[in-house]
Amino acid sequence: MNNDISIAYFSMEIGLESAIPTYSGGLGVLAGDTLRSAADAGIAMAGITLLSRKGYFRQRLDEQGQQTEEPVHWPVDDYLLPAGVQAIVEIEDRRVRVHAWRYDIKGRSGHIVPVYLLDTNIDGNLDYDRTLTDYLYGGDDYYRLCQEVILGIGGIRILRALGHTSIKRYHMNEGHPSLLVFERMAELKQQRGDGRSNTEHIDTVRRECVFTTHTPVSAGHDRFPAALASRVLKQCNPFSDTADEVCPNNELNLTRLALDASYYINGVARKHRDTSRKLFEGYQIDFITNGVHAYTWASDAMRSLFDNKIPDWQEDNLGLRYAISIRYDDIWQAHQQAKHRLIEYVNKNCNVGMDQSVMTLGFARRATPYKRTTLIFTDIDRLRSIASHCGPLQIIFSGKAHPRDNDGKALIREIFRIKNILNTEIRIAYIPDYDMAIARLMIAGVDLWINTPLPPLEASGTSGMKAAINGVPSLSVLDGWWIEGCIEGVTGWAISNSEQATKTTPPVSNHEAEILYSKLENIIIPMYYHNRDAYVEIMRNAIAIYGSFFNTERMISQYVTKAYFR
Ligand SMILES: *Cc1c(COP(=O)(O)O)cnc(C)c1O
């Protein structure tokens, strides 16, 4: 076992493999890609997360697109090994036992980044406590806070039980794990005796902590009433001793805690840094733009094309810039293979009769209002007429709505309704139970990736980066990474809207829908059907310009120089 961990990476969710349901979406997939690139780079890092024994949920959709949720059943011991250690955390008056499972991420040269998945379903715990590591983002405030005690405080204790005593940096991916700050303070207090003040301890902790924020709206941050926090954390002295400072406004805000305790804070794209600076005034906030793990997200066909033409692209993603000299035909052929696999999957699983030769648009992400899943259907007659006079279209959707997001669920039903209206004119499929495997099929297999979030709510977005590595261009609202990425007409197309700042939501959406339609009608669809070389040149540019930059190999090296070893 590699005992020499210098960076501990804490995340409520980590996408390890498609079938291990310890992720719900972008945050978790990013965490997985980060650790995969850390393993490739040989960084002495470990990941800490919760087991999520029953997952986020399995999505079922009925004929009307009505979503129901079921627990996921997965054979934990087929994928994970017991780490062989236990720790105890105090919740209210209870002593809750935690043990850990281990998953090894193996880098390209064999270096291992272990991930520890915390589990409370063991003998000696009360029935309720045994459920605490079951559901990702399930349960009420109390359940969530208990989970965060397990993750932050239990996570550190498990690391100590494993013998990891010389960790230099604690990286909090989003605010969920920030209770680890109290545990570090408690450790310091114990090591140093009681002579020093909490302020001195927190100054030490601050030199160790790195915080990446992902959520550009205040409603998205975990906050708990001070009374609830005091009850749950009653045995945690660093909390009670500093309760007045850490609970301004009578609430414990885990994002504030992470901000206050970190010497390096970053947003996940340049624009998101600016948004975060407004949201959290008084903090120094930098940015490191997200990326994706290039090998993981390249389709099988693209992998072999790159292996062939750019032999060292896997060790050095910068090499993807040389895709600029791959022949159009080779790119097109590799794309056709990926498209074939997607169309086959969709026809088999969604019973829809899609056609390989028809231009295929893709949209997959969490179904929630700010993503504006249905923006493309703002004017169905317009879309119908575009498809009939510019060239045929088909559209593939996927994505789950959070169980309590009724507006998100309504969006899925709306797509099913429109799917029936458009019927054979524009074939539409909604692939149920979006996960990493479906994402990998979709981002490589469609011809155009659509993204229509309401700015500035897309902190970064990563699915468009995955598409780009596969030569699939984006037509996207200018938000998140796309502001840094888009070179109009060269790497893809922007749904830009200079007037948006002064107008309210509905007119903005209509205006953006108009841009989306007019670019499809006047530029993109005609190019796809009548100027194939021009289209493939854009595909190729996306690989060369984005694949070589918007990857987690570049991203982790920025974390190393700006945050970890500074
Ligand atoms: C990449 C990915 C996401 C994140 O996509 P965004 O474009 O950032 O919304 C969500 N879910 C899965 C399964 C993914 O693979």
Side-chain angles (χ1 to χ4, degrees), residues 178-214:
S178 65
L179 295 175
L180 71 83
V181 169
F182 295 134
E183 181 61 8
R184 274 305 287 144
M185 286 173 71
E187 286 186 332
L188 288 168
K189 216 168 191 161
Q190 196 169 39
Q191 281 162 17
R192 298 165 159 185
D194 261 336
R196 294 180 214 215
S197 67
N198 284 312
T199 317
E200 286 172 284
H201 295 317
I202 193 122
D203 286 343
T204 306
V205 173
R206 195 176 294 112
R207 286 197 292 275
E208 305 171 337
C209 287
V210 171
F211 172 49
T212 302
T213 176
H214 294 260

Side-chain angles (χ1 to χ4, degrees), residues 302 305 309 326-335:
M302 280 297 164
L305 177 61
K309 306 287 179 189
I326 298 176
R327 290 171 38 227
Y328 290 154
D329 200 44
D330 291 336
I331 304 243
W332 187 248
Q333 287 313 322
H335 175 62

Side-chain angles (χ1 to χ4, degrees), residues 69-318:
E69 301 95 27
E70 292 169 13
V72 185
H73 300 285
W74 60 290
V76 171
D77 34 15
D78 283 3
Y79 292 101
L80 311 175
L81 289 171
V85 295
Q86 284 201 12
I88 290 183
V89 295
E90 298 80 22
I91 294 177
E92 298 193 62
D93 290 315
R94 315 195 297 278
R95 289 162 58 79
V96 178
R97 287 164 192 270
V98 184
H99 83 125
W101 297 85
R102 177 178 168 137
Y103 179 93
D104 284 346
I105 298 180
K106 203 173 204 176
R108 284 196 36 76
S109 50
H111 177 79
I112 284 172
V113 165
V115 177
Y116 298 106
L117 301 98
L118 310 178
D119 181 9
T120 58
N121 184 17
I122 45 177
D123 286 348
N125 282 341
L126 296 176
D127 286 349
Y128 178 79
D129 291 330
R130 294 178 74 135
T131 69
L132 286 175
T133 50
D134 279 352
Y135 289 105
L136 177 59
Y137 306 134
D140 54 11
D141 271 9
Y142 179 82
Y143 183 84
R144 173 71 75 93
L145 184 56
C146 292
Q147 288 193 319
E148 289 169 341
V149 171
I150 311 271
L151 178 64
I153 297 176
I156 299 252
R157 292 184 186 175
I158 284 286
L159 287 170
R160 300 301 180 234
L162 287 160
H164 297 308
T165 51
S166 54
I167 293 168
K168 305 272 186 304
R169 296 288 183 266
Y170 299 87
H171 187 164
M172 296 175 261
N173 188 42
E174 197 51 298
H176 313 114
S178 65
L179 295 175
L180 71 83
V181 169
F182 295 134
E183 181 61 8
R184 274 305 287 144
M185 286 173 71
E187 286 186 332
L188 288 168
K189 216 168 191 161
Q190 196 169 39
Q191 281 162 17
R192 298 165 159 185
D194 261 336
R196 294 180 214 215
S197 67
N198 284 312
T199 317
E200 286 172 284
H201 295 317
I202 193 122
D203 286 343
T204 306
V205 173
R206 195 176 294 112
R207 286 197 292 275
E208 305 171 337
C209 287
V210 171
F211 172 49
T212 302
T213 176
H214 294 260
T215 311
V217 278
S218 49
H221 298 268
D222 270 353
R223 292 178 301 183
F224 302 96
L228 174 64
S230 303
R231 182 154 67 90
V232 169
L233 292 168
K234 64 187 286 190
Q235 297 194 58
C236 175
N237 297 333
F239 172 77
S240 27
D241 292 351
T242 55
D244 292 344
E245 294 155 58
V246 297
C247 294
N249 315 318
N250 231 3
E251 66 175 22
L252 174 63
N253 179 330
L254 292 190
T255 302
R256 290 274 164 194
L257 179 61
L259 290 164
D260 286 332
S262 298
Y263 78 100
Y264 181 82
I265 303 165
N266 71 293
V268 291
R270 195 198 305 127
K271 164 85 171 298
H272 178 237
R273 171 198 62 187
D274 301 341
T275 313
S276 303
R277 282 179 177 172
K278 284 187 203 124
L279 204 57
F280 312 120
E281 276 175 36
Y283 295 94
Q284 277 199 25
I285 304 180
D286 193 16
F287 75 100
I288 295 177
T289 302
N290 280 346
V292 298
H293 189 255
Y295 182 79
T296 297
W297 294 103
S299 68
D300 294 352
M302 280 297 164
R303 284 178 185 173
S304 23
L305 177 61
F306 299 155
D307 283 343
N308 214 334
K309 306 287 179 189
I310 313 168
D312 57 358
W313 73 284
Q314 289 185 42
E315 295 96 88
D316 182 0
N317 294 169
L318 280 171

Side-chain angles (χ1 to χ4, degrees), residues 23 25-26 29 297 365 371 434-436 439 458 461-464 466:
Y23 63 96
V29 175
W297 294 103
R365 42 190 60 81
K371 301 273 195 180
Y434 189 47
D435 63 12
M436 288 168 67
E458 182 96 316
T462 50
S463 59
K466 299 171 192 167

